[in-house]
Amino acid sequence: MAVAATAQYKNYINGRWVDALDGRTMESLNPATGEVLGIVPRSTARDAVAAIEAAAQAFPKWRRVPAPRRAEILFRAAEIMVRRKEELGRLVTMEMGKVLKEGLADVQEAIDETYYMAGEGRRLFGQTTPSELPDKFAMAIREPIGVAVAITPWNFPLAIPTWKIAPALVAGNTVVFKPASDTPILAATLVQIFEEAGLPPGVLNLVIGNGDEVGEPLVTHPQVGVVAFTGSTAVGREIALKATQHLKRVSLEMGGKNAIIVMDDADLNLALDGIVWSAFGTSGQRCTAASRIIVHRAVARELTERLVERAQRLRLGNGLDPTVDMGPVVNARQLQRIHQYVQIGVQEGAKLLCGGTIVREGDLARGFFYAPTVFGDVRPEMRIAQEEIFGPVTAIITVDSLEEAIAVNNGVQYGLVTSIYTRDINRAFRALREIDTGIVYVNAGTIGAEVHLPFGGTKNTGNGHREAGVQALDIFTEWKTVFIDYSGRLQRAMIDIAPLPS
Ligand code: UN1
């Protein structure tokens, strides 16, 4: 049988596509079929250092390019993505597993963010404000930091890199991009798009490899200014500890244990649609996924029965098949991790209502499929109600009041998203005041945040930064405060108090 030559991908350093310096490679797999999609570099710290040096060298010129000119390249990159949307969406499905309509949404989110940040090229607003002294001008302007490192996960292989790369570039930083080792082909494709759009050499560099083999210099090298990371809280903490030791700015976007609260007055049909989409969309592999359903006792039984029935009806398979509702999880390791959590839930005494199995029927055995899983009788302190599982598993917790729902909602270490379904406007407003998360939805599920609003969470979900929105620029810029004194004499602030006219 003729075997097609497996596609080869490379790192991108200083405007050239290159192999890892010591020539090692690894494979990227399709999680639905187990098929090898391509061979990619398995970089080491040496490759990371080369990328950092290239970025540092490119920075002085790039920061002097007027921001509207930098933005033109972003506009062109977005246009290329629009043109290639279908092909890119299919590639997302093939390399990461989510179903095609979600693969296309990943591309769309990257397009939206790139256009949005390109628009910032003609804004990047600073502040002007009166000085307390006469004949003196005061303003604060944004300056790029230098080399920005983007370390990104596999669950949004185009959107999340774009959330970091686009604001970093428009603000005048140069970038070293280290994508998740599960989605390197998409990363290389994204970089190729920025190259085609006209980015000068060294402005965006790509280093493909495993975090533990490449990561160290990316977070400790003296020429790195800011590290922007999305991923697990465990890795984020490690990155933060290392990088802050070197006094680098670090933005962290980490775990979630998001809840949908369903009150007794809720539209249950609407709530069910939101729960199914938020718990099982992307096979539960979103940091915004709804992994807890906090339901009022009066409707708990009906909601539980209908949710289980809906979950069991979901069709699993290759996401390229339009009749499929849910794709695989990303790799064998995640599959085992999810399964272990389910076993923990059973041991803790939660009631496994459906799912709870690795799916091995027919063709599905070649991929990494997990059955949509619903737990009932979950107590808020159980591990399955406290820890991020990152798979198609959700836990139903019954409560007796809004106050209790909010207490349960807030009683976790994370604070990314909460939804509440209620028809009572007073309850909705009380909930949105008391819910301790970065994002709150009323009568909508927990997933689907839009790029022009800030994205991020409280507590152990992050470290105070927000991605997306104009707020993302705060990650990638330094404020420079400027005073211009045109009085022609020494004016001492706080001492030479300006006299009032007599
Ligand atoms: C993530 O899961 O890390 O709100 C990001 C959403 C998407 C982004 C999720 N727009 O679900």
Side-chain angles (χ1 to χ4, degrees):
M1 195 177 76
V3 180
T6 311
Q8 303 265 346
Y9 297 84
K10 292 178 190 272
N11 286 335
Y12 186 69
I13 296 176
N14 208 15
R16 289 176 48 232
W17 294 95
V18 293
D19 292 320
L21 282 166
D22 62 9
R24 291 192 311 166
T25 58
M26 55 188 191
E27 293 174 340
S28 176
L29 301 184
N30 181 329
T33 63
E35 142 205 32
V36 176
L37 294 173
I39 308 289
V40 303
R42 181 168 165 181
S43 306
T44 61
R46 288 167 62 214
D47 302 290
V49 169
I52 293 163
E53 286 172 354
Q57 223 189 335
F59 176 61
K61 280 192 185 156
W62 181 243
R63 69 180 278 267
R64 286 197 196 100
V65 174
R69 289 282 286 146
R70 294 196 293 256
E72 283 169 21
I73 297 172
L74 269 61
F75 278 120
R76 277 202 294 278
E79 279 158 29
I80 297 169
M81 290 186 231
V82 169
R83 226 172 28 242
R84 293 177 59 181
K85 182 173 172 184
E86 184 69 29
E87 168 220 342
L88 293 169
R90 291 179 70 84
L91 190 54
V92 170
T93 298
M94 285 165 68
E95 195 175 35
M96 181 273 160
K98 61 176 83 171
V99 295
L100 183 57
K101 67 171 184 290
E102 294 183 30
L104 291 167
D106 201 321
V107 185
Q108 189 58 48
E109 198 161 350
I111 292 168
D112 295 343
E113 173 71 4
T114 309
Y115 274 132
Y116 178 66
M117 279 299 157
E120 277 306 310
R122 286 191 185 270
R123 284 187 290 265
L124 283 174
F125 294 138
Q127 299 172 348
T128 61
T129 180
S131 163
E132 67 188 43
L133 289 163
D135 299 331
K136 192 177 173 193
F137 185 87
M139 65 181 166
I141 57 177
R142 287 188 188 275
E143 294 279 2
I145 296 173
V147 176
V149 167
I151 304 176
T152 60
W154 43 262
N155 67 331
F156 276 83
L158 294 176
I160 293 180
T162 312
W163 287 7
K164 303 184 195 310
I165 292 169
L169 291 180
V170 82
N173 302 277
T174 53
V175 176
V176 176
F177 172 26
K178 202 316 252 165
S181 46
D182 286 294
T183 50
I185 298 178
L186 286 155
T189 308
L190 184 65
V191 169
Q192 182 268 320
I193 287 169
F194 277 99
E195 177 189 46
E196 188 185 328
L199 269 191
V203 172
L204 172 60
N205 305 276
L206 171 69
V207 184
I208 295 171
N210 297 316
D212 52 349
E213 293 173 330
V214 218
E216 184 82 21
L218 294 179
V219 298
T220 58
H221 193 285
Q223 284 181 300
V224 169
V226 48
V227 181
F229 167 79
T230 299
S232 71
T233 298
V235 174
R237 181 174 285 125
E238 238 176 86
I239 286 178
L241 286 172
K242 282 193 178 150
T244 47
Q245 219 173 9
H246 296 260
L247 301 179
K248 297 190 192 310
R249 183 180 306 192
V250 187
S251 101
L252 303 170
E253 194 57 64
M254 303 177 292
K257 193 66 194 174
N258 315 297
I260 293 183
I261 298 172
V262 184
M263 294 309 296
D264 48 353
D265 62 64
D267 176 338
L268 284 194
N269 295 329
L270 191 66
L272 274 161
D273 285 345
I275 293 168
V276 172
W277 173 228
S278 304
F280 304 121
T282 326
S283 307
Q285 302 170 109
R286 295 199 193 203
C287 53
T288 50
S291 57
R292 296 183 297 158
I293 312 302
I294 303 172
V295 57
H296 193 285
R297 194 171 303 280
V299 291
R301 202 169 146 172
E302 182 185 350
L303 187 92
T304 303
E305 279 170 14
R306 291 178 63 189
L307 175 59
V308 168
E309 191 259 323
R310 292 273 300 263
Q312 284 171 326
R313 266 202 333 230
L314 293 174
R315 242 193 108 210
L316 269 61
N318 187 330
L320 290 180
D321 174 348
T323 66
V324 160
D325 299 306
M326 198 180 97
V329 300
V330 73
N331 58 35
R333 206 176 52 250
Q334 283 298 116
L335 192 65
Q336 288 308 329
R337 202 183 113 89
I338 294 163
H339 196 47
Q340 271 163 19
Y341 263 112
V342 169
Q343 281 154 345
I344 289 169
V346 171
Q347 280 156 19
E348 286 178 310
K351 200 157 149 199
L352 182 60
L353 300 173
C354 67
T357 51
I358 295 173
V359 181
R360 296 205 169 89
E361 287 140 33
D363 277 356
L364 298 189
R366 292 190 291 144
F368 312 118
F369 289 91
Y370 204 81
T373 301
V374 179
F375 274 109
D377 292 345
V378 178
R379 288 191 313 277
E381 68 280 6
M382 289 180 177
R383 284 184 65 191
I384 56 164
Q386 289 286 332
E387 297 173 24
E388 184 173 53
I389 300 174
F390 226 65
V393 180
T394 199
I396 301 178
I397 303 168
T398 305
V399 293
D400 290 295
S401 64
L402 179 62
E403 287 63 36
E404 190 185 351
I406 291 168
V408 169
N409 176 73
N410 290 349
V412 292
Q413 61 164 316
Y414 299 113
L416 187 55
V417 194
T418 297
S419 299
I420 178 163
Y421 281 83
T422 176
R423 289 171 165 129
D424 180 335
I425 190 80
N426 298 347
R427 276 177 159 176
F429 269 91
R430 272 209 302 282
L432 82 83
R433 185 189 60 207
E434 298 301 330
I435 286 168
D436 185 6
T437 56
I439 304 170
V440 180
Y441 288 93
V442 177
N443 293 330
T446 53
I447 66 179
E450 302 176 27
V451 302
H452 55 306
L453 287 111
F455 181 96
T458 60
K459 300 189 276 186
N460 289 355
T461 292
N463 63 339
H465 291 280
R466 290 293 183 268
E467 296 199 280
V470 76
Q471 288 75 7
L473 294 171
D474 290 333
I475 298 173
F476 297 105
T477 54
E478 290 281 4
W479 282 106
K480 182 181 275 177
T481 304
V482 182
F483 296 106
I484 301 156
D485 191 319
Y486 55 98
S487 69
R489 59 182 189 276
L490 172 68
Q491 298 202 88
R492 295 165 301 175
M494 285 75 76
I495 295 173
D496 298 323
I497 313 273
L500 293 173
S502 47

